[in-house]
């Protein structure tokens, strides 16, 4: 069974394209609290409800992030990390913090990260992680 981490940006496509978990094949889906937190920040209330509903329907396993970052992490849902990989993923930019937390968690748990963020995908692969976009996952071109 393939174990994957879904990035937050995947949920827009899951809702728009009405993608079901059966489309992924035999996989274990994972998220951190970061994905739910990002979906909860959607300003369009009806779209936010669609996104949260999709998250609840696919019912992924909740994993703690591998690093704890004040202002981003939730106590009890984050580990005290060494920050080495996290900082390489964040590339010194605060705006990359959530992406770095998600990617680091995927990499340290040997999960396939599924993201439509081309820059994040490139960083993860450069640092030795496994990463594809949603279309690749759906086409089984892994």
């Amino acid at each position: 069974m393939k174990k994957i981490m879904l990035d937050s940006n995947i949920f827009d496509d899951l809702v728009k394209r009405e993608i079901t978990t059966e489309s992924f094949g035999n996989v274990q889906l994972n998220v951190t609290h970061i994905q739910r937190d990002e979906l909860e920040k959607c300003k369009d209330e009806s779209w936010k409800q669609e996104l949260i509903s999709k998250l609840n329907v696919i019912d992924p396993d909740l994993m703690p992030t591998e690093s704890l970052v004040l202002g981003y992490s939730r106590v009890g849902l984050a580990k005290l990390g060494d920050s080495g990989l996290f900082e390489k993923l964040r590339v010194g930019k605060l705006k990359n913090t959530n992406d770095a937390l998600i990617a680091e968690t995927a990499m340290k748990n040997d999960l396939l990260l599924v993201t439509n963020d081309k820059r994040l995908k490139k960083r993860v692969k450069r640092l030795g992680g496994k990463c594809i976009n949603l279309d690749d996952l759906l086409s089984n071109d892994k």
Side-chain angles (χ1 to χ4, degrees), residues 73-90:
S73 301
R74 291 186 184 205
V75 175
L77 295 175
K79 299 176 184 178
L80 293 175
D82 63 13
S83 80
L85 178 58
F86 169 77
E87 286 301 336
K88 289 177 184 174
L89 288 161
R90 186 162 70 165

Side-chain angles (χ1 to χ4, degrees), residues 28-129:
Q28 176 187 334
L29 302 173
N30 299 277
V31 295
T32 69
H33 72 88
I34 299 292
Q35 288 91 324
R36 179 174 287 277
D37 293 348
E38 288 184 333
L39 298 181
E40 290 281 353
K41 289 180 182 174
C42 179
K43 291 180 181 12
D44 181 328
E45 193 61 38
S46 63
W47 188 247
K48 176 170 71 172
Q49 293 309 316
E50 293 276 345
L51 294 170
I52 298 299
S53 176
K54 182 57 87 170
L55 175 65
N56 292 335
V57 166
I58 66 171
D59 192 29
D61 290 341
L62 180 65
M63 302 181 75
T65 58
E66 291 293 324
S67 291
L68 186 142
V69 180
L70 293 177
Y72 294 87
S73 301
R74 291 186 184 205
V75 175
L77 295 175
K79 299 176 184 178
L80 293 175
D82 63 13
S83 80
L85 178 58
F86 169 77
E87 286 301 336
K88 289 177 184 174
L89 288 161
R90 186 162 70 165
V91 222
K93 298 178 183 174
L94 285 178
K95 70 176 188 167
N96 293 339
T97 299
N98 284 345
D99 287 340
L101 286 167
I102 292 167
E104 177 193 36
T105 302
M107 292 174 70
K108 286 191 172 182
N109 289 281
D110 196 31
L111 304 176
L112 173 65
L113 177 63
V114 180
T115 183
N116 288 330
D117 181 333
K118 292 176 184 175
R119 288 181 182 164
L120 178 61
K121 181 180 173 184
K122 191 177 202 179
R123 263 180 290 177
V124 168
K125 286 188 166 191
R126 187 182 75 243
L127 294 168

